[in-house]
Amino acid sequence: MTIELRDVSKQYGGGSVAFLALRDVNLVLNEGDFISVVGPSGSGKTTLLNIMGCLDVPTTGTVLVDGQPTEKLGDFELSKIRKEKIGFVFQDYYLNDSMNALQNVMLPLEFRGRSNKKEVAAKLLESVGLGDKLHNFPTELSGGERQRVVIARAMANKPKYLLTDEPTGNLDSVSSKKILDLLRELNSERDVSVVIITHDKDVASITKKQIKIVDGMVV
Amino acid sequence: MWWIIYAYLKRRKIRVFLTMLGVAVGVATLFTILSMSGGIDLSINQQMQDVGAQIFVIPFGHRHHKIMGLLDGEAVGTMPSSVHPQVKGVDNVKLAVPIFLKKAEMNQLTVLPVMGTTKEMAELKQWGYIEDFDGAVLGSFESIGRGILEGDVILLESQHSIELKVIKTLEETGTHEDHYVFIPLTSAQELFGEEGNISAIFVTMEDPEKAAETVTALNQIENVDAVYAHDAFQEILDTFSTTKANMILITGIAIVAGAFTTINTMTMAVYERKKDIGLSRAVGATQMDIFTLFMVESILLSIVACIIGILIGYAFLNIYPFIVPLSIGGIQSSPYYSLHNVLLCFIIAYGVGTISGIYPAISAARLAPIDALRGL
Ligand SMILES: Nc1ncnc2c1ncn2[C@@H]1O[C@H](COP(=O)(O)OP(=O)(O)OP(=O)(O)O)[C@@H](O)[C@H]1O
Ligand SMILES: [Mg+2]
């Protein structure tokens, strides 16, 4: 059970504005991995994460999810991979403002076609310590709380791969620790492969493995 | 899926309401016109049956105008009574009932159509047996509505005034004859100062199959015009259906305007929800899921708007007669509500929802997940 990147390059734009955000990246995310990705701003970390999660496609190279090459897959199959195998935590920890915390967590369950969405979502929010904020809208939550909702949402469909982009950015050390403990627990107890993109050396130091990216290249 | 749509609608109540109002106004107009014209169609048909005459013999000239006058309770023009025996003598004529029809004041209270006629009218209209037609026969509205009973005396005033005993009151027919008073022909001629004149002759035939020949024969009589009642009513119905078609066309424009409001709202929704769409795609929504969400939302808006529109239309029809009475060619009518019309409104609303939703839904579904997430 792996996500494997083979000679992946990603070019944004074309002609004079073309920009190579990733260059020949080779990388394997194994089952149970706990990896941090560090690198300067603009080095291609978010790009890498999007490609690993089948949200974006490489310009050249191949992404294999559980051994299956993805370049020829259609929308339906790619969506299926995202919904069944991958959980995202985006850099801006975006939540749907029209929905309360509970509904935000229910969203992935809806597209998965689950029946007892409310119970499952409520349990997930309880597990991140937000059992009393189920009906708060994003604007009624603190930054740290929003981030925990995002993690609960990412976990809703029990993904094997949890791809997180700056999950502790903008948080104080206490909230930050809570989030990291949560990720570590998911990794050790539920065997979820976790990727954490971070600027923070302390955060990087708790992971089992570290990857450094500079100018789109893994070094 | 429904809860997702509901969450969005709930957050933008005012805009959702205003959007729906656009479609609702169109539907309300359509429903009102359909129900009104349904009612009018119905009462024209009802009237046609209740007049009882198969052929109208009227003074020559301005046929349409004169037929409308007859239906409106105020006949136009007169002809001498002497044509009556001639009409009676024509082949295939069963009953030939002369009438004099004009409006007069009753009991210094109300102005109503007064029809002077002969005893044969009782046979034509199937009122039941009347021994001597020597008094007034009152329509149900004029008797029940005004508390006038058999045996009472009424006062009629026009050129002259006459007093008549009420010899019979009629059952409700639902036509304008409920507002009529029938009196002997000679009394009417006296009342209106028109001795020796009549407004029309109502004719029935032995063999209705021979209508064409009979009408031709009647037209041989000088200075009269014989009109087959069926054709006359058909003509009214035809004139009316043209009016109806024009009104529905105008309604169509209102509905198209409503559709544009919906397209506009849905397109804006796609734009505003770009990040949400990207997020949904990231957690596994397929293009089809996104397409469906927007389509269903658009159709739902139109359907709810349709319900609101029908309610507005219904409310309007219930207060409208107090503003402008529903009448065409003197024929009173009340709106006719049919399931058929309700269904038609829903089908149109469904169509509006589908058409309005298609472009926004496709553009939402086609957004690349990553671009949508960036809000591009
Ligand atoms: N859609 C795009 N079009 C053009 N260039 C882009 C696009 N997205 C990203 N880039 C460029 O690609 C490079 C890598 O971007 P990426 O978001 O992966 O960086 P990052 O490592 O996540 O940075 P940060 O730590 O600031 O989030 C950047 O230089 C960025 O300007
Ligand atoms: Mg980034």
Side-chain angles (χ1 to χ4, degrees), chain B residues 41-277:
Chain B
D41 272 345
L42 207 71
S43 47
I44 290 178
N45 280 313
Q46 176 81 42
Q47 203 76 44
M48 189 161 131
Q49 277 166 18
D50 285 11
V51 162
Q54 290 166 334
I55 297 170
F56 298 117
V57 176
I58 49 176
F60 193 78
H62 304 287
R63 174 190 285 192
H64 192 74
H65 193 46
K66 282 177 181 145
I67 297 284
M68 290 302 239
L70 279 184
L71 298 175
D72 200 21
E74 179 89 63
V76 183
T78 57
M79 52 190 184
S81 310
S82 56
V83 293
H84 182 233
Q86 286 177 269
V87 168
K88 233 176 160 159
V90 170
D91 236 19
N92 195 33
V93 169
K94 188 176 166 194
L95 287 175
V97 190
I99 63 152
F100 194 94
L101 181 63
K102 253 189 142 103
K103 286 181 182 159
E105 198 177 44
M106 180 176 77
N107 290 351
Q108 298 183 322
L109 254 180
T110 174
V111 172
L112 80 176
V114 176
M115 186 185 277
T117 183
T118 60
K119 198 174 153 183
E120 284 148 315
M121 186 58 83
E123 197 177 324
L124 188 92
K125 301 247 186 221
Q126 293 163 346
W127 286 339
Y129 183 71
I130 292 178
E131 171 94 53
D132 286 307
F133 188 34
D134 56 0
V137 175
L138 268 189
S140 77
F141 179 83
E142 298 304 329
S143 59
I144 297 167
R146 302 192 191 280
I148 300 172
L149 303 172
E150 248 179 72
D152 289 353
V153 171
I154 55 165
L155 171 70
L156 294 173
E157 287 171 293
S158 178
Q159 283 295 105
H160 302 101
S161 53
I162 53 168
E163 284 194 344
L164 285 165
K165 204 167 108 180
V166 176
I167 57 163
K168 190 175 179 67
T169 57
L170 298 172
E171 311 242 303
E172 192 178 336
T173 62
T175 68
H176 58 171
E177 281 179 11
D178 289 342
H179 298 262
Y180 271 43
V181 54
F182 299 87
I183 62 174
L185 183 61
T186 46
S187 310
Q189 288 167 335
E190 186 194 332
L191 171 64
F192 296 109
E194 291 271 10
E195 276 82 1
N197 284 335
I198 54 173
S199 322
I201 301 172
F202 287 0
V203 174
T204 62
M205 294 173 279
E206 300 283 357
D207 181 4
E209 298 286 302
K210 291 192 193 145
E213 294 95 310
T214 316
V215 168
T216 315
L218 286 167
N219 273 323
Q220 300 302 316
I221 304 168
E222 233 171 287
N223 288 329
V224 304
D225 188 9
V227 187
Y228 187 35
H230 184 269
D231 292 347
F233 281 113
Q234 199 53 55
E235 205 176 301
I236 298 175
L237 279 173
D238 289 348
T239 320
F240 176 58
S241 22
T242 320
T243 317
K244 186 163 81 177
N246 286 331
M247 289 196 290
I248 290 174
L249 195 74
I250 294 168
T251 311
I253 297 168
I255 289 176
V256 169
F260 277 112
T261 323
T262 315
I263 297 178
N264 180 49
T265 303
M266 293 310 295
T267 310
M268 272 176 67
V270 174
Y271 185 76
E272 287 169 358
R273 294 181 207 163
K274 259 190 190 160
K275 284 203 89 165
D276 295 352
I277 295 167

